[in-house]
Amino acid sequence: MSSDVTSLIERCCAVWNEPEPGRRKALLKSVWADKATYTDPRANTNGVDELLAHIATVRTGRPGATIVRTSAVDIHHGIARFGWRVVEADGTPLPDGVDIAFLTPDGMRIERIIGFFGPMAPI
């Protein structure tokens, strides 16, 4: 199952990197559950259309940037976590982030992602 979840996460990352809106929507619908939510420090979206609008805004603000997964995908109890980074069009890497993905019971789609930007601060 972990390879299936890794593939699911890879396809989710590909959504953010897809420049063509129609293809981006098709990719998202293949990984996103009905009424799924996405939350990060700058967004709180519900459903496909709201997430697509957020992704379009991010892509407009960072033209040519890509999202790359920077860690293995850890999974337990239908919850996955993985590290990622934005790489600017000129190759400049931005600080890492981490996403926590809640999967549908069959593990075939994502029903919620909670994302965090940057490294955790030491105490």
Side-chain angles (χ1 to χ4, degrees), residues 18-70:
E18 175 56 51
E20 200 280 305
R23 177 81 179 125
R24 189 180 315 137
K25 184 173 187 174
L27 283 169
L28 183 59
K29 284 184 154 194
S30 77
V31 299
W32 212 237
D34 293 337
K35 300 181 183 178
T37 63
Y38 173 87
T39 304
D40 71 23
R42 296 186 183 142
N44 187 28
T45 71
N46 293 293
V48 168
D49 292 334
E50 285 186 17
L51 181 53
L52 287 170
H54 174 63
I55 292 170
T57 299
V58 170
R59 290 187 54 78
T60 299
R62 296 197 179 281
T66 57
I67 302 284
V68 295
R69 188 166 53 87
T70 59

Side-chain angles (χ1 to χ4, degrees), residues 76-88:
H76 67 80
H77 297 92
I79 303 168
R81 74 173 174 169
F82 61 97
W84 53 269
R85 166 182 292 153
V86 174
V87 178
E88 297 283 17

Side-chain angles (χ1 to χ4, degrees), residues 1-12 31-33 36-37 73-82 99-114:
M1 177 160 177
S2 66
S3 66
D4 292 341
V5 173
T6 297
S7 174
L8 178 67
I9 297 303
E10 282 295 322
R11 290 180 307 176
C12 183
V31 299
W32 212 237
T37 63
V73 177
D74 291 329
I75 181 169
H76 67 80
H77 297 92
I79 303 168
R81 74 173 174 169
F82 61 97
D99 280 2
I100 309 298
F102 296 79
L103 309 176
T104 55
D106 64 5
M108 301 301 290
R109 294 184 186 264
I110 298 167
E111 55 188 18
R112 182 177 188 190
I113 285 184
I114 301 172

